[in-house]
C-alpha cells in the first residue's frame, strides 16, 4: 500500500500558520463589525443631540421658577412648563418661589 509520507515538521508549521491565519481573519471581521456598530451608534447619538431642541429660557414648575438650563428642573415632568420672560415674572409676582440653585429672580431683575 501507498501510505502517505509522514508529515514533516515543515508541513506541520505550514498547517499551523494556515489555521492561525484563518482564525485571525475571522477575528478581524468580528472586530470590524463591532467597530461599524459603534460608529453607527455614535452617529445616531450625534444626530439625536443635534435634533434636540434648545432648553427653554425659563421654566415654571410646581415648586418654583427656574432658568431653563438649571440642573434642578425636573426634566420631562408634567409639572415643568417652558415659560417666556413675562410668564416667569408673573409667576414670581404671584408667589411662585425662585429656585435657590439658579436664582432666576436675579437674572430677571425681580425685586420683591
Amino acid at each position: 500500500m501507498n501510505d502517505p509520507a509522514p508529515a514533516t515538521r515543515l508541513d506541520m508549521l505550514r498547517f499551523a500558520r494556515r489555521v492561525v491565519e484563518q482564525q485571525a481573519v475571522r477575528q478581524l471581521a468580528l472586530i470590524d463589525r463591532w467597530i461599524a456598530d459603534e460608529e453607527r451608534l455614535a452617529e445616531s447619538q450625534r444626530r439625536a443631540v443635534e435634533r434636540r431642541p434648545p432648553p427653554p429660557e425659563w421654566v415654571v414648575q410646581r415648586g418654583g421658577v427656574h432658568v431653563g438650563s438649571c440642573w434642578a428642573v425636573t426634566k420631562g415632568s408634567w409639572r415643568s412648563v417652558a415659560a417666556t420672560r413675562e410668564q416667569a415674572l408673573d409667576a414670581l409676582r404671584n408667589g411662585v418661589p425662585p429656585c435657590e440653585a439658579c436664582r432666576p429672580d436675579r437674572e430677571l431683575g425681580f425685586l420683591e
Side-chain angles (χ1 to χ4, degrees):
M1 282 200 213
N2 284 344
D3 286 332
T8 66
R9 182 173 165 81
L10 183 58
D11 293 334
M12 290 187 289
L13 287 171
R14 286 184 177 142
F15 175 77
R17 185 187 186 291
R18 283 194 310 272
V19 169
V20 169
E21 184 178 21
Q22 290 170 354
Q23 290 173 344
V25 167
R26 278 195 296 260
Q27 291 302 310
L28 286 173
L30 179 61
I31 291 170
D32 288 343
R33 283 196 307 272
W34 292 343
I35 289 170
D37 289 346
E38 286 299 314
E39 287 172 342
R40 279 191 296 276
L41 178 62
E43 179 62 21
S44 173
Q45 289 172 339
R46 185 191 62 76
R47 282 193 313 267
V49 168
E50 286 177 356
R51 287 190 303 254
R52 186 179 305 152
E57 194 171 353
W58 310 100
V59 174
V60 177
Q61 283 188 318
R62 198 170 187 192
V65 177
H66 299 268
V67 173
S69 59
C70 179
W71 63 268
V73 171
T74 306
K75 308 280 191 251
S77 170
W78 59 271
R79 294 180 274 185
S80 299
V81 177
T84 64
R85 178 182 179 80
E86 198 54 45
Q87 290 169 327
L89 281 168
D90 284 344
L92 290 170
R93 285 187 202 111
N94 290 322
V96 179
C99 171
E100 293 295 323
C102 64
R103 299 305 307 224
D105 51 341
R106 290 181 186 160
E107 285 199 41
L108 289 165
F110 179 77
L111 304 173
E112 294 183 53

